[in-house]
Amino acid sequence: MRRPATVARVACLLAVVLAAFLAATPVAAFELEFVIASPQLYGKPHDLVLSPAGDLLYVADNESDRVAVLDPASLALVGSFGAGELSAPHDVVFDAQGRLLVADTGNSRIAIYRVADGAAELIDALSGSIRRPEGVAAHPNGRVYATGAATGNIEAFEAGKAVGQAAGLSSPHDVAVAADGTLWVADSGNDRLLRMSPDLAVIGTVEGPEYGFDGPRYLDFDAAGRLYVADKYSHRIKILDPDGGLRLMLGSGRGEIGPGLFDRPEGIAIRGADVWFSDTYNDRIVRYRIVE
């Protein structure tokens, strides 16, 4: 008759020991260290991406109606293109063929450029049911995904043609591809992130007071699988662990300028330990380094 009580006491003791062990296990250090900021030369820069070789940084320079090309180390402007072709571009990404895809927002299309050494040639474009696209992603499955901020949808393209869409979003911005092939979409008007299958079925959401999203814009993943979110109206960069927990925030919550401070940030690019942000309303690009 005493055996159940004994088992219960043992189970309780094991739980206490496990809790003590977990509490004593240190969490791996992780922080972002400010490195350098560009001069304030840009027209509300939005998302940005490194070239496949890593030697150039391409920036959707929104109010300048161009793509700015920077040296990723010094953040010096080394060139630009798209003037007269692009209208209020928001996003840039490379596909598997090395072509640069630009969310050409004012023209309601995805402009496709062949680029080499900073020079660029407009060679094609995608358009469908999206209006004012603000995010674009190239998936390993060969599809291109684009968000329509004005139409509240995300559309899939294959071989240059629209092949599917999901509606019911509110001013969606970035779409990013995780290592497992799932899509992450900044459903900005709803202050949340959506996790979607390549067939555009919603399989999860990240939202609520623990995240405090306020107009999330552009996203990227680091090599450890952490998700970086440019949360525009909170003036912060928010970093989520792979399990979804909020790990780190940069920014004071007010629009300011200086190391660790932002004014309505929008863009993110990551390569190895190097991280670049578009400090959009401070009209500059900043570079940080992951320290862990």
Side-chain angles (χ1 to χ4, degrees), residues 8-234:
R9 284 196 296 271
V10 171
C12 182
L13 178 60
L14 288 174
V16 170
V17 171
L18 178 59
F21 171 77
L22 292 175
T25 302
V27 176
F30 167 69
E31 62 183 28
L32 290 180
E33 179 182 84
F34 174 80
V35 178
I36 192 173
S38 73
Q40 293 177 270
L41 296 175
Y42 305 101
K44 301 298 180 286
H46 279 59
D47 211 10
L48 60 171
V49 67
L50 276 172
S51 62
D55 58 339
L56 293 171
L57 185 66
Y58 292 81
V59 182
D61 198 17
N62 180 264
E63 289 188 350
S64 299
D65 297 323
R66 67 175 184 172
V67 173
V69 186
L70 281 61
D71 175 86
S74 68
L75 302 184
L77 181 66
V78 298
S80 68
F81 59 88
E85 295 173 338
L86 300 174
S87 175
H90 277 70
D91 199 6
V92 283
V93 67
F94 281 94
D95 68 9
Q97 301 173 56
R99 305 177 306 174
L100 185 69
L101 311 181
V102 182
D104 188 11
T105 308
N107 290 319
S108 287
R109 66 178 183 174
I110 304 301
I112 302 176
Y113 282 87
R114 180 186 296 117
V115 298
D117 300 322
E121 177 189 3
L122 180 63
I123 59 171
D124 205 350
L126 302 174
S127 60
S129 66
I130 51 172
R131 294 294 177 267
R132 296 193 63 80
E134 298 204 8
V136 60
H139 197 282
N141 65 12
R143 287 185 171 183
V144 172
Y145 296 87
T147 59
T151 40
N153 64 341
I154 177 171
E155 191 157 22
F157 297 86
E158 191 170 330
K161 298 187 180 300
V163 294
Q165 66 162 309
L169 285 67
S170 178
S171 189
H173 277 64
D174 204 14
V175 51
V177 182
D180 64 0
T182 57
L183 306 175
W184 286 78
V185 180
D187 190 13
S188 302
N190 287 319
D191 294 326
R192 64 180 182 172
L193 308 181
L194 299 178
R195 185 168 175 251
M196 306 182 81
S197 72
D199 291 327
L200 300 179
V202 175
I203 55 179
T205 62
V206 178
E207 60 185 325
E210 63 268 40
Y211 300 101
F213 289 133
D214 192 1
R217 286 321 199 242
Y218 293 89
L219 318 169
D220 204 355
F221 293 90
D222 68 15
R226 292 176 290 241
L227 177 61
Y228 293 58
V229 183
D231 195 32
K232 181 175 181 176
Y233 295 113
S234 75

Side-chain angles (χ1 to χ4, degrees), residues 248-287:
L248 183 68
M249 290 195 298
L250 292 179
S252 67
R254 300 181 301 276
E256 299 179 302
I257 189 168
L261 301 173
F262 303 91
D263 188 352
R264 288 162 284 180
E266 297 232 11
I268 301 171
I270 305 171
R271 180 75 61 91
D274 292 307
V275 185
W276 295 263
F277 299 118
S278 289
D279 188 9
T280 302
Y281 281 75
N282 282 322
D283 287 316
R284 66 180 192 158
I285 307 300
V286 292
R287 181 162 70 92

